[in-house]
Amino acid sequence: MTDLRNKRIITVATTGAWPTKKDTPNVPIEPYEIAEEIYNCWKEGAAVAHIHCRDDEGRATMEFRKYEEVVTLLRTKYSDCDIILNITTSGGIGLSEDDRIRPFYELKPEMASYDCGTMNWQHNSVFENNPQFLEKLGLLMQEAGVKPEIEVFDPGMIYNAQYYIKKGILKAPCHFQFCMGVAGGIAASTKNLVFMKSVMDEVAPGSTWSAFGVGKGAMEIMYAAIAMGGHIRVGMEDNVLYRKGQVADNNMQFVARAKRVIEEFNCEVATPSEAREILGLPAR
Ligand code: ZN
């Protein structure tokens, strides 16, 4: 058996809810663009794909047929690609709970995001994940055999996870995504990442974790997470700039850089099958 402690999982979040073709023409928006970009990111070393879709106007959506199209393309046209699929359950802000549930419940990706609390989003709206919704979401994920990727935007959300683990809504060992640098949540700094991890170790020992920083903290969080034994997420959902003043050409550019950093640190990039082992997902 290979030693997995030295392996780092790269998750790519190609699209997200926000960047438009006006912000950057390079963001994949159409289902065929998203599927092709995920395929190319897998070739560069991404083991997990976090998927959002857009409606015909390019706005954030949980429209089922869009998710179905992306997943079907990946399972047919790109069937040699064994990347782990992780479907969003937020989609954006203010989408209906039923619509947020349907894609993961019917398409049965191996993972789906689970945003573990409500927050003020970017000082302009409410990202609502109320207690009733979180209980329902956790139980439906168990029913569908989908592993939650517990997205936490501040330490309070890690304590929410502790509550849901105790209630049996979330099953240990859990996987956390530390989402840092979003206005309304915790800032993206190494000091804060160390604190987030220490809270997680205390309340959910044995969990795996990944992290990303939005905006200027992106590189700091990537280097710190790799050094601290965590996994990382990159992509245009979180950053459209490759570096200050330079718009990224595509998502593959972010994956390639993450791979270089991981290897320079004397770690190795986890393949999807190694990532399954690390995350406790059934082998395929
Ligand atoms: Zn997302």
Side-chain angles (χ1 to χ4, degrees):
M1 207 175 120
T2 44
D3 184 0
L4 296 171
R5 282 173 302 184
N6 217 29
K7 303 280 180 179
R8 298 292 187 273
I9 299 168
I10 302 175
T11 292
V12 68
T14 59
T15 302
W18 310 112
T20 63
K21 292 275 188 193
K22 267 187 203 149
D23 297 320
T24 166
N26 305 331
V27 62
I29 298 274
E30 298 290 339
Y32 75 87
E33 291 177 324
I34 296 171
E36 186 183 16
E37 189 97 339
I38 289 172
Y39 182 69
N40 289 326
C41 287
W42 166 72
K43 285 189 182 162
E44 289 292 338
V48 179
H50 174 66
I51 303 171
H52 282 249
C53 290
R54 303 297 183 83
D55 66 12
D56 292 337
E57 279 70 52
R59 293 171 304 209
T61 187
M62 287 305 295
E63 209 179 314
F64 179 74
R65 61 181 185 89
K66 298 284 187 186
Y67 288 85
E68 188 182 33
E69 204 176 328
V70 172
V71 170
T72 303
L73 280 168
L74 286 162
R75 287 176 177 166
T76 54
K77 183 175 179 190
Y78 302 112
S79 62
D80 56 322
C81 172
D82 65 345
I83 198 165
I84 295 166
L85 304 186
N86 168 335
I87 294 183
T88 179
T89 63
S90 67
I93 298 288
L95 301 172
S96 98
E97 292 183 1
D98 288 346
D99 289 349
R100 292 171 62 179
I101 286 166
R102 191 174 167 204
F104 87 77
Y105 195 77
E106 290 193 25
L107 299 170
K108 305 218 174 352
E110 288 166 274
M111 302 182 84
S113 57
Y114 182 97
D115 295 291
C116 209
T118 294
M119 65 188 284
N120 280 359
W121 185 265
Q122 308 270 20
H123 309 304
N124 58 33
S125 48
V126 177
F127 179 23
E128 187 178 340
N129 297 286
N130 66 58
Q132 293 73 27
F133 176 66
L134 288 180
E135 294 203 6
K136 186 170 155 186
L137 187 61
L139 293 175
L140 288 173
M141 283 190 182
Q142 286 184 38
E143 201 177 295
V146 172
K147 178 158 179 144
E149 176 210 34
I150 305 170
E151 291 192 332
V152 290
F153 291 79
D154 64 42
M157 291 193 191
I158 307 175
Y159 287 99
N160 286 348
Q162 178 186 36
Y163 173 81
Y164 293 119
I165 292 167
K166 276 189 187 149
K167 280 200 79 171
I169 304 289
L170 294 172
K171 292 278 185 209
C174 294
H175 181 65
F176 285 83
Q177 184 72 258
F178 299 145
C179 312
M180 306 180 72
V182 175
I186 198 166
S189 70
T190 303
K191 177 172 73 92
N192 287 344
L193 181 62
V194 169
F195 180 62
M196 295 279 274
K197 181 180 180 297
S198 73
V199 172
M200 183 200 78
D201 286 339
E202 185 190 319
V203 308
S207 300
T208 51
W209 64 279
S210 172
F212 67 86
V214 170
K216 63 180 176 17
M219 294 303 285
E220 179 174 341
I221 295 300
M222 178 162 77
Y223 277 89
I226 291 166
M228 288 164 61
H231 306 287
I232 53 171
R233 171 170 129 176
V234 295
M236 291 191 199
E237 172 163 355
D238 310 321
N239 292 289
V240 294
L241 298 182
Y242 184 71
R243 59 168 66 88
K244 196 175 176 191
Q246 184 190 336
V247 174
D249 297 334
N250 50 51
N251 282 281
M252 290 71 86
Q253 209 180 6
F254 289 110
V255 175
R257 178 169 65 187
K259 183 171 190 267
R260 287 197 303 274
V261 174
I262 289 168
E263 290 176 349
E264 286 294 337
F265 196 72
N266 282 328
C267 286
E268 289 168 39
V269 174
T271 64
S273 49
E274 289 163 344
R276 286 186 177 90
E277 220 176 306
I278 292 166
L279 298 168
L281 298 169
R284 17 173 281 186

